[in-house]
Amino acid sequence: MTPADDRNEGPTTPKGPAAQALYLAMIGAAGPAATGWTGPPRLPAPARRGERVLILGAGVAGLTAAYELSTLGYDVTVLEAQQRVGGRNRTARAGDELYEIDDRTGAAVRTHTCRFDDGLYLNLGPGRIPHHHRRVLGYCRDFQVALEPYVMETTANLVRPPHRAEALPNRRVANDTRGHFAAMLTETLTTHDAFTAEVRDLLRVFGALGADGKYSVAARSGYLHDPVAGEPFPVPAEPLTFEELVESGFWRTSFYQPLDHEWQPTMFQPVGGMDRIVEALAHRARRAGADIVLGAEVTGIAIDEDRRGARVTYRSGGRILRADARHCVSTIPLPVFRGVGRTGFSAAFESAVGIVEFAKTCKVGWQADRRFWEDDPADPSAGAGRIYGGISWTSHDITQIWYPSHDWFSGKGTLVGAYNFEGKAGRFGGLSPRERLDAAREGAVELHPEFADEALVPGEKGITVAWHKVPYQLGGWAQWEPDREDHREAYRQLLQPEGGDVFHVAGDQISPLPGWQEGAMMSAQFVVQQILGVMPRTVPEVTTVPDSIALTQGMA
Amino acid sequence: MTPADDRNEGPTTPKGPAAQALYLAMIGAAGPAATGWTGPPRLPAPARRGERVLILGAGVAGLTAAYELSTLGYDVTVLEAQQRVGGRNRTARAGDELYEIDDRTGAAVRTHTCRFDDGLYLNLGPGRIPHHHRRVLGYCRDFQVALEPYVMETTANLVRPPHRAEALPNRRVANDTRGHFAAMLTETLTTHDAFTAEVRDLLRVFGALGADGKYSVAARSGYLHDPVAGEPFPVPAEPLTFEELVESGFWRTSFYQPLDHEWQPTMFQPVGGMDRIVEALAHRARRAGADIVLGAEVTGIAIDEDRRGARVTYRSGGRILRADARHCVSTIPLPVFRGVGRTGFSAAFESAVGIVEFAKTCKVGWQADRRFWEDDPADPSAGAGRIYGGISWTSHDITQIWYPSHDWFSGKGTLVGAYNFEGKAGRFGGLSPRERLDAAREGAVELHPEFADEALVPGEKGITVAWHKVPYQLGGWAQWEPDREDHREAYRQLLQPEGGDVFHVAGDQISPLPGWQEGAMMSAQFVVQQILGVMPRTVPEVTTVPDSIALTQGMA
């Protein structure tokens, strides 16, 4: 018996600080000052054994709810439209088929099949776990999902700024900018008081300035050459000038995203692929008694007039079936949910369902038959090479390239060849998968000339997904905007169950962390507690909603 | 046959750019502009088969030279004074015995035995590999030494500054300092030209400033509390004020060392312990024919009068033995070498041997029976917890605490409980191992109150080493000082063989990277090429020597 299996048998504090903090976190609303994380929610011992719950969608939120409710003794059935669990938690391997909706016909079509070599994989959805995402890390530990570090940034990464043709190494851009700023500030300081002497010393260390307060030797920016006559050894890089740094516009490429809280080191990834998490959740949910039905597309939801339950209609194997339950938890993404027939829902709820847009976002994955980015470059003046993980940033539509944080120093490898948003994702998504790969290759060549070599990075082994065109997903995440009054109203409304305690919306889409597995798990735990009756079902006025763009793309 | 086994059979370019670059790198001297790294040296095919080489010392340099020379067909014997290979590359495990020289008697005594639980280990010497240390990474790849990331810094790490009683999380100190500097600089900017508008925007992103150019919301510094009424969600930390940051003196704790080139991400460590490297080197050297003799303490070295070879006298098993060889490579640390009898050496060499001091440096290792630093803290106001790897800095004599970058989320773990230098290492080394552990515990408690719990961090499972007191080591590394003329002369002299091509000094002690395995390997490859005659034996005037303090402790 693992710790997770018996953690519900201890003393229960359903309205304790953890539950209250979670509740306040979920709703972003009025309440006493919270006390921070105090561990996973301690739920009451099995209470309503046999009470039937229908969960719609077997993504991270649906599987988390299924696991928790089954463990509590509920009779859980999960209806999943696709032929696999996981939703956006998807790891591509050889033979996996990719589907998108055809712009002209509106039909879902198989666009291509993953042709990676055996043993290679790439996470198409979530690809990293922040060290402060306690729920994801907690389930991984409880379920023995092995984790390894995901390297978000190495100073060997590259940036190709908007107004400069060649790519520059991260270490030069980051440290030279920092050094110039420190020197500029030092110059503004007067020299006659003690505090200023301390600040000067701090600036010297902060910016790696000389004793004169100037930034002229860029030792942190690496060594451009082996030593030459008459210079100190090793010879550091010549600093980029402040003017060329500013003119390049480098900071507009998300260059500083790794500083933002969600992406700060240490980050993790499951060994073997992100879908190890959903596999473990599904396995534990099934072991606790949950029934997970694949290929079951929900077409209608009716809340009973007496508010004692709901009836769900779904299509499975060409037939129309029905299921009844005391509670229904829908993790169906709102853009898909809008097309599901509904009866018995309030006007306020119906109005809330249509408010929030879902983000357009695309990924491209490459297989490279040699990990050339880990080697020294053929042309050292490019400044590339010795890149072990991390992300290179570019103003090209591909936005970024991720280098693998696993199977270091091995032969082949997979890379994320594009991960983009908004207008860029719209343009990319408008292309056919083949055209998208061609465009991604162009963007990649600007960072690494090796990408031009079809034998090294074969086009037929490339894969791509436009999440806003994937059937049953229709978007990357809910694009909540804190400034919008209608978003605040909709967010609050969707946190409240319909039909008393019959119908709940869940998922990262209605959590403080849209686009993150932690948000999906947080939402699932919240809804589980609402169903148990240990959380209020009426939510006070919401003062703000998550800033989805900042939480998924960084603050800048 | 591995790539390493046949890499000497290809075309040879003994005086090609790689060899020249290495040569210039070694000597820090005059020469044409070098072209950067072009791969490992390509040595000529087996040339002097059977020519006898004695290598003194089986540390990283000695084993590298033994492997390379054996592969080239030389008849290699390595004499090692200790009962193990590796030198300072040492990984402590249960049962390992630690020796230090008794200050009063001058005798080597066994001070304690490692009492870690089975399966736990800690690197007492080198503990990390920079991603640009091509020789170390190259040998690891060739010899199938598995590597994993070493996390140098996470924003969850702590700093306990000199003038502030409590420890602060890295993310608050780093990002608040950065934010205040950006805001201060923004304030000095005028607003009327385009370039300034760009700089303002760069500063906004650099420092996470508000649209008003102020630093008032510290979103990068993490969330102190779960959301509360009327504030944006999530609620970021309150910034530390600029005044309290400056007054704390935090930057004097090596806080910014992770920005320096040697410590920039990505860093690596061998899976299972750093000694996997010396095990692999020794195995490959033996397989290539080298004889490694343990327990052989060199007492005398005589260069033949005719400069055709050398005779080495050594003590082994209570007997005095002699060995003759055409070439002799000594990796014996200079402080130990000074005590070895010598005849036939030049006056210039004898004078050079005594010049450089060796660094005092101590480490302490702890076993903790629960990885409490990875959990949330009992007292959240401490700001600790969720620390996955990296280093916490303190003004206490322990200087730093390293958290393990392996076996994440497991039960027990080992930590480096002190790693200090110069005066602090002198004070620590002056204590008995038991007193040293007690002092280290006091320093650790200031960062984590859990260290006060003897049951959690048992004193009898602690280990410590003062490298400057370890027999046959007598120091951490050669403390070269670039400003000293006598250091430049000695450094040059020691790069030149004695007795024509008979006797060579090697090791990180006479390399551009003192204290680093890369320096040891670089030196070994250099001497191998001198012996082969593909490198000049006369070294031109040296313009500078490595800055050992900057290269081992960081620039500040």
Side-chain angles (χ1 to χ4, degrees), chain B residues 22-33:
Chain B
L22 174 67
Y23 177 64
L24 293 165
M26 285 298 306
I27 64 172

Side-chain angles (χ1 to χ4, degrees), chain A residues 254-271:
Chain A
S254 300
F255 183 82
Y256 288 115
Q257 185 180 325
L259 290 175
D260 288 341
H261 193 229
E262 299 300 323
W263 297 278
Q264 291 173 3
T266 307
M267 305 196 83
F268 288 99
Q269 63 186 5
V271 176

Side-chain angles (χ1 to χ4, degrees), chain A residues 7-51:
Chain A
R7 79 159 198 258
N8 293 314
E9 291 165 21
T12 62
T13 55
K15 302 216 178 203
Q20 281 183 31
L22 174 68
Y23 177 64
L24 293 166
M26 286 297 306
I27 64 171
T35 54
W37 170 261
T38 56
R42 301 199 64 87
L43 303 173
R48 295 165 182 78
R49 190 169 299 279
E51 207 168 79

Side-chain angles (χ1 to χ4, degrees), chain A residues 227-230, chain B residues 23-24 27-32 540-543:
Chain A
V228 292
Chain B
Y23 177 64
L24 293 165
I27 64 172
E541 197 176 343
V542 164
T543 57

Side-chain angles (χ1 to χ4, degrees), chain A residues 37 155 220 264 266 376 388, chain B residues 37 155 220 264 266 376 388:
Chain A
W37 170 261
T155 59
R220 284 179 184 159
Q264 291 173 3
T266 307
D376 289 293
Y388 299 101
Chain B
W37 169 262
T155 60
R220 284 179 184 157
Q264 290 173 5
T266 307
D376 290 292
Y388 299 101

